[in-house]
Amino acid sequence: MGSSSTEVSTIVKNWREHPPASYSLKIHSFSQLENSTASSDDKYQSRLFSSGGYNWRLIVYPKVNKKDNGGGFISMYVEIDSKSLMVFTPPTEVFAELRFFVYNKKENKYFTIQDVEVKRFNALKTVWGLQQVLPCDTFNNPDNGYIFEGGQCEFGVDVIISPPLTNWEILSFTEEYSDPTFSCAIKNFSQFKENVDTSKSFSMGGKKWVLKLYPKGDTRADGKYLSFYLYLDDCDKPKADEKIFVQANFRVLDPLGSNHFKRKLEKWYTEQHPAWGWPEFLSKAELQKAYLDKQDTLKVEIEFTVVSATKYSPIT
């Protein structure tokens, strides 16, 4: 089978009641406008107007724009004042959306047309627009409503400035570590009297962490299970709206080295959830039976496989 591609138009046409917000050009005699532009490259240029902190001109070709294949159509453009580009060193670039308007008295609405692609204005390209806004035959026929009351008409434009990107985030995932494992042990486990054993702080994936073991189980374990959790250290607890993804393997190690008990964690750490784990990680009966060595020591470890990191734009 052969393949084919279809070019998708970026031109959007619509009707709306609200007038243009950036600039309106009202003509009292369109025929005289046509005559007057014969000596000015077939175009009419408006006075300067301000929009988005820059100065612009609306350009209308009432008959034909020979330079831009606009024959037989009303053509409309916007030109940025080159002095606006020289405010900064080096000269700036301006990104803008352009929406052109033609008033229709019959509909009492504005015909609007725009290329939805944002246009890039700079010193090398100061003019953007549409060469085929409306067919001249359609526009010039008074029955269609664009010419009214003896030759009046109205054109307009909205120049919508796209501000520079200021809000962003970059999410990355660390998947390779020189030493992805952290281990700790509880000696004399059967005689351990504290409710919780907290490991020393350790670093992984650019964050500091601690392991917490509850030999008798936490409040949800009913005294029958070992509870096992991974906490972000207090110095690295997530801030408001921050989150960190962790994928890790929790293990209670078999003293004989052949049958470790393992659970896999895949969770997002947030301000509301700075710790994840299991209240019922391993039953105490099974632990006592198979996971204490001859010195009554319990050894556990966590192996990190993924930790995310996110860079954010400053909040102003």
Side-chain angles (χ1 to χ4, degrees):
M1 293 180 62
S3 62
S4 62
S5 60
T6 302
E7 185 175 349
V8 178
S9 174
T10 58
I11 304 300
V12 175
K13 302 175 182 179
N14 215 329
W15 291 90
R16 84 176 202 187
E17 295 181 356
H18 196 275
S22 296
Y23 200 71
S24 170
L25 170 64
K26 295 182 180 180
I27 310 297
H28 280 190
S29 175
F30 184 73
S31 61
Q32 289 299 328
L33 175 69
E34 288 183 296
N35 294 334
S36 69
T37 57
S39 60
S40 57
D41 293 332
D42 300 314
K43 66 184 178 183
Y44 178 83
Q45 298 183 84
S46 76
R47 67 177 297 179
L48 289 173
F49 63 93
S50 179
S51 183
Y54 301 92
N55 292 328
W56 312 84
R57 294 186 191 275
L58 174 61
I59 301 172
V60 177
Y61 287 80
K63 286 194 298 187
V64 55
N65 179 8
K66 299 174 182 177
K67 298 179 180 179
D68 200 13
N69 192 31
F73 285 83
I74 302 289
S75 301
M76 297 177 68
Y77 300 83
V78 165
E79 179 180 21
I80 191 169
D81 182 19
S82 59
K83 293 179 181 178
S84 292
L85 298 172
M86 301 303 173
V87 175
F88 302 99
T89 303
T92 188
E93 292 187 323
V94 180
F95 294 85
E97 295 180 43
L98 307 176
R99 183 184 300 117
F100 296 98
F101 293 71
V102 184
Y103 180 66
N104 188 296
K105 181 75 171 181
K106 184 178 179 181
E107 299 290 339
N108 195 25
K109 292 182 179 179
Y110 290 87
F111 168 74
T112 69
I113 181 169
Q114 72 178 113
D115 187 338
V116 296
E117 290 186 349
V118 175
K119 301 306 179 186
R120 182 181 188 178
F121 291 83
N122 54 39
L124 298 177
K125 181 69 174 178
T126 60
V127 179
W128 285 98
L130 296 173
Q131 69 268 35
Q132 297 184 353
V133 174
L134 276 171
C136 291
D137 292 344
T138 300
F139 180 85
N140 287 318
N141 186 343
D143 292 339
N144 292 327
Y146 295 104
I147 299 287
F148 53 89
E149 297 177 7
Q152 295 187 45
C153 60
E154 180 185 355
F155 302 98
V157 66
D158 277 350
V159 180
I160 306 163
I161 302 300
S162 298
L165 179 65
T166 56
N167 298 302
W168 51 265
E169 64 182 80
I170 301 173
L171 176 64
S172 60
F173 296 89
T174 302
E175 300 179 66
E176 295 183 3
Y177 304 90
S178 58
D179 184 5
T181 303
F182 176 79
S183 304
C184 61
I186 300 179
K187 297 179 180 180
N188 300 316
F189 180 84
S190 301
Q191 305 301 317
F192 194 81
K193 300 185 183 302
E194 303 296 330
N195 290 328
V196 59
D197 180 72
T198 302
S199 75
K200 66 180 182 180
S201 177
F202 63 95
S203 296
M204 198 70 67
K207 298 291 183 182
K208 289 188 177 295
W209 310 84
V210 293
L211 293 179
K212 290 192 177 184
L213 284 166
Y214 294 78
K216 302 173 184 178
D218 65 9
T219 56
R220 294 171 291 176
D222 199 26
K224 298 179 180 179
Y225 291 87
L226 171 74
S227 301
F228 195 178
Y229 297 94
L230 174 67
Y231 280 73
L232 272 163
D233 201 348
D234 288 343
C235 66
D236 272 334
K237 282 186 176 179
K239 302 177 180 64
D241 216 22
E242 182 184 6
K243 53 188 178 182
I244 302 160
F245 179 74
V246 173
Q247 184 182 83
N249 295 311
F250 288 56
R251 298 188 184 97
V252 172
L253 301 183
D254 177 7
L256 301 179
S258 61
N259 190 28
H260 304 314
F261 184 83
K262 179 177 74 173
R263 289 183 185 270
K264 187 174 185 178
L265 179 78
E266 292 180 308
K267 292 291 185 180
W268 286 95
Y269 282 69
T270 64
E271 183 182 29
Q272 293 75 28
H273 294 283
W276 287 102
W278 292 266
E280 298 180 357
F281 185 81
L282 176 64
S283 72
K284 290 180 66 176
E286 189 174 355
L287 186 154
Q288 295 280 355
K289 180 180 178 180
Y291 294 98
L292 296 177
D293 64 15
K294 294 180 179 180
Q295 287 75 39
D296 194 30
T297 298
L298 177 72
K299 295 181 180 179
V300 300
E301 70 176 21
I302 180 170
E303 179 190 13
F304 288 80
T305 52
V306 176
V307 178
S308 74
T310 310
K311 295 182 180 179
Y312 301 92
S313 57
I315 297 176
T316 56

